[in-house]
Every structure is written in structure tokens, then in C-alpha cells.
Amino acid sequence: ISCPSITGGNYQQIYNSGAFGGSIDIGTISFYNTYFNDGSSQGIATMDYSLYLAVTSQSVPNGGLPPGDVLFASGHLNGSTWPFGDTLTFTGTPFLYDPSQGNLELTMVITNASDPSNEVFTYFDSESGGPFSRWCPNCGSGQGYGLVTGFGTASGSTPEPSSLLLTASGFLAAAGAIRRKWAK
């Protein structure tokens, strides 16, 4: 959502059902700003957003809203600087995801977007070879490539052990990215 190519339209990501060991009542979705640290100030775009979740049989997204999509959250982000190491977390209407029904699809519909000043962009953690795929307007589809995402349980629900494992693996990937960047 901070890439210069996504100033309007959809960004989608599909998470393979095999990455989840059981059902999860999703209450938060997080993205991590720990991929790229060159010491400069990073910025996040100004935009209106709507986040949709759905269960799908697709393994690679195509940019359209899937049948049965559910509005998870919507709002406005004001363009601002965003420090390295921060997490962007969206809280929304709980969505019960059962991986036995198919893959999880996240669609971000972005409108009224403008890039941050001075062409300074936020770099979210991304990974190749992951249990997901993504689609964006100017970059098309990418199997096994996408944003490292954390899914938190809705308040009042108890996380499944497998959900904790998936979230922990996201944090480990973020820690590895930080370590590699600091090593340089």
C-alpha cells in the first residue's frame, strides 16, 4: 500500500490454507516496516482504504473482489513519516477463517491516494518463496511472493496453536530481515 505503483485500485494477496493449522477468528491484520533501513525518513501514502477478506479456491489473485468478500475494515491514512521498525495494524470486524474451506484472500481497495512527498516510500516486509501470492496494478501476479502479514485474533477469542505458529513465523522472518539489513 505504499508502493508508488499503487496510487489507486486494488492490492491482493492470497494466503495458502496449508499455512494455517486450524480456524482463526481474525481481528487484526498487521504489516511490518522492517524490510529496508537506509537511515532516511520513510513515508506512508495518504489514502482511503477498504480491506476485504474472503475464502477462495484461487491460488493466485486476479485483482477483482471475490464472491463472498466481507468488509473487514475501512478508513483513511494520513501521509506521514513512519519510523523503521513500526508495525501498521488494522483492527476490524472479526472474520472467522476456516482453512478447510479454501485459501484466505485479502483485498485492499485504495482510493484518493497520493504518494508521500519527496518520493520517499515505506518498505514493508516482503518475502519470496512464502505460502502466499500477490497481485497489484503495475506488477501483476507473483506466485510465492508477498507481504509478510500478521493475523491477530479478535478480542475474546483464544488463538489456535497453529495461528500462534504462523504469527511467530512472521515475526521470525521480520527479525531475519532486520538482522540481514543491519549486517550490511
Side-chain angles (χ1 to χ4, degrees):
I1 57 179
S2 59
C3 162
S5 66
I6 308 174
T7 55
N10 297 351
Y11 173 89
Q12 286 184 319
Q13 196 153 307
I14 292 180
Y15 307 87
N16 186 293
S17 62
F20 299 85
S23 297
I24 179 173
D25 194 14
I26 299 170
T28 62
I29 300 171
S30 298
F31 301 109
Y32 307 97
N33 180 12
T34 56
Y35 179 72
F36 182 75
N37 184 15
D38 66 356
S40 68
S41 175
Q42 295 182 7
I44 192 164
T46 297
M47 71 181 79
D48 295 322
Y49 66 88
S50 296
L51 303 176
Y52 294 89
L53 293 172
V55 177
T56 181
S57 60
Q58 290 181 255
S59 59
V60 178
N62 61 13
L65 286 174
D69 64 302
V70 175
L71 178 63
F72 175 77
S74 62
H76 179 79
L77 291 176
N78 288 320
S80 62
T81 57
W82 196 46
F84 174 80
D86 275 5
T87 301
L88 180 60
T89 300
F90 301 93
T91 301
T93 303
F95 179 84
L96 182 60
Y97 171 61
D98 179 356
S100 69
Q101 302 298 309
N103 296 326
L104 177 64
E105 183 167 336
L106 167 66
T107 302
M108 295 178 237
V109 177
I110 300 165
T111 57
N112 302 317
S114 61
D115 290 327
S117 61
N118 302 323
E119 296 297 312
V120 178
F121 305 102
T122 301
Y123 293 89
F124 293 96
D125 282 350
S126 58
E127 181 181 322
S128 59
F132 37 65
S133 58
R134 62 100 174 97
W135 181 93
C136 65
N138 291 340
C139 49
S141 292
Q143 183 83 30
Y145 183 84
L147 297 175
V148 175
T149 310
F151 295 101
T153 57
S155 54
S157 64
T158 304
E160 299 279 334
S162 58
S163 301
L164 292 173
L165 181 61
L166 182 63
T167 300
S169 68
F171 285 124
L172 289 174
I178 291 170
R179 188 172 44 97
R180 285 189 302 274
K181 295 300 176 185
W182 285 342
K184 290 182 182 180

